[in-house]
Amino acid sequence: MEFVILAVVIAVVAVAAIAGLVVSGRRRRQLPPKSQAPVITAPPTPREPAVGEEAAPPTEEPRRTVEEVELPEAEAEPEAVTVPETIEEEAPALEVPEPTAGRLVRLRSRLSRSQNSLGKGLLSLLSREHLDEDTWEEIEETLLTADVGVAPTQELVESLRTRVKVLGTRTPDELRGLLREELVELVGKDADRTVHSTKHAEGPAVVLVVGVNGVGKTTTTGKLARVLVADGRKVVLGAADTFRAAAADQLQTWGERVGARTVRGPEGGDPASIAFDAVKEGIAEGADTVLVDTAGRLHTKTGLMDELGKVKRVVEKHGPVDEVLLVLDATTGQNGLIQARVFAEVVDITGIVLTKLDGTAKGGIVVAVQRELGVPVKLIGLGEGADDLAPFEPGAFVDALIGD
């Protein structure tokens, strides 16, 4: 029994010794490594202290006495600056419009399209060897297509048939001469086509320019001013179209180019009042002619057409209105005749201005509109240039249609 107890004690002591050895071994492995010596770097270069840092001790600088300090030399007084005299800008030179005499002859090439549709077409048909009924129907159709109108077409065809039958032989020169005589007669060679713009005892001649929107009425008024200036007239312009934006500016620009003064008012103002003031100004300046550009009114609006009549009545308080020129777009054809008819009911039309006759317009509209209103065509527009408005001359017009 004693040996058993002794063995147990020895075993316990042995286990305790072994456990102690294990614990000491673990402690040795877990010891921290030895600390390395710190690396010492050089001190930073001295610098200016930043905000919050202590300033370095001030260093003493050599000081100078008052006698050693050199004072700067007194600056010389600045020289007086000479202000150059104001140079007045020279007014732009006024344009000199082309003379109106023979202007249509110079612009005859602009009628080339109308020439192809009317003059050359008729000459070609009349030059056929046999002029049967079918040929005469083609001649009639050519005239109607050229906007001559039904009644004038019938008159011309009857006259041509009679003269061709009497003539017998038909050489090209004879046919051209025959056709020229008939067309000049149809256009009207004896009508008074003068634009009455001469100053009279009551004051300057007054010309009202009327028409619907889009026919080039304001531009035509400006070009007409150039025509009159070229003929030696002193002109005053009245910008009575107060409903279209920039119409007054446009007219004033036209006037400034030839030295014609423009009387204008506020946008949307009373057109009759502006027209009245324009005539009054024309009297004061001793002008020869006052051109009044009226608003482009739709001929279907009764109230606006009545206002046009009011403009004419107000202007007549100064004296008579010498001309009322109706501007028509020649390319509108028969629709232009409807406009002409309504305008004639409101004011007494004394003359017609056909614009855009150099485009797709038919030359026969000259005949048709004169027959419709019983008043002559006095001016025709043959282009976009400033001097492309020409006094109408029947002979030169027909010559341009037929060609050489």
Side-chain angles (χ1 to χ4, degrees), residues 344-355:
E345 295 174 356
V346 180
V347 289
D348 296 327
I349 305 296
T350 60
I352 303 161
V353 182
L354 281 176
T355 63

Side-chain angles (χ1 to χ4, degrees), residues 208 307-316 321 324 347-348:
L208 295 184
E307 188 175 346
L308 177 59
K310 174 188 173 184
V311 171
K312 184 173 183 292
R313 291 191 302 272
V314 169
V315 169
E316 286 176 337
V321 173
V324 179
V347 289
D348 296 327

Side-chain angles (χ1 to χ4, degrees), residues 33 68 75 92 128 146 150 153 157 160-161 166 168 180 189 211 222 241 275 301 337 340 349 359 371 374 389 400:
E68 294 175 342
E75 296 182 358
R128 291 181 180 178
V150 177
T153 294
V157 169
L160 285 174
R161 294 185 72 158
V166 172
R180 183 185 188 282
K189 59 182 179 180
D241 185 354
K301 300 294 182 66
L337 300 183
I349 305 296
R371 289 293 185 94
L389 185 69

Side-chain angles (χ1 to χ4, degrees), residues 20 25 39 46 57 59-61 70 97 102 104 106 145 147-148 151 163 187 193 220 228 282 284 288 305 325 400:
V39 179
T59 58
E60 294 186 0
E61 294 182 357
E70 296 181 0
L104 181 55
R106 296 194 300 273
T145 304
D147 289 333
V148 173
R163 295 193 64 177
V187 170
R193 302 182 188 276
T220 298
L228 297 178
D288 297 296
M305 294 300 293
L325 297 178

Side-chain angles (χ1 to χ4, degrees), residues 98 102-111 380 382 387-390 400:
E98 295 181 4
R103 184 179 288 186
L104 181 55
V105 176
R106 296 194 300 273
L107 299 174
R108 60 182 299 176
S109 61
R110 308 287 178 84
L111 290 167
I380 57 175
L382 296 171
D387 292 322
D388 289 344
L389 185 69

Side-chain angles (χ1 to χ4, degrees), residues 2 111 118 137 148 174 219 234 238 315 330 345 347 367 373 390:
E2 293 177 356
L111 290 167
L118 180 58
E137 287 182 3
V148 173
E174 289 174 336
T219 299
K234 183 178 181 181
V315 169
E345 295 174 356
V347 289
V367 176
L373 296 182

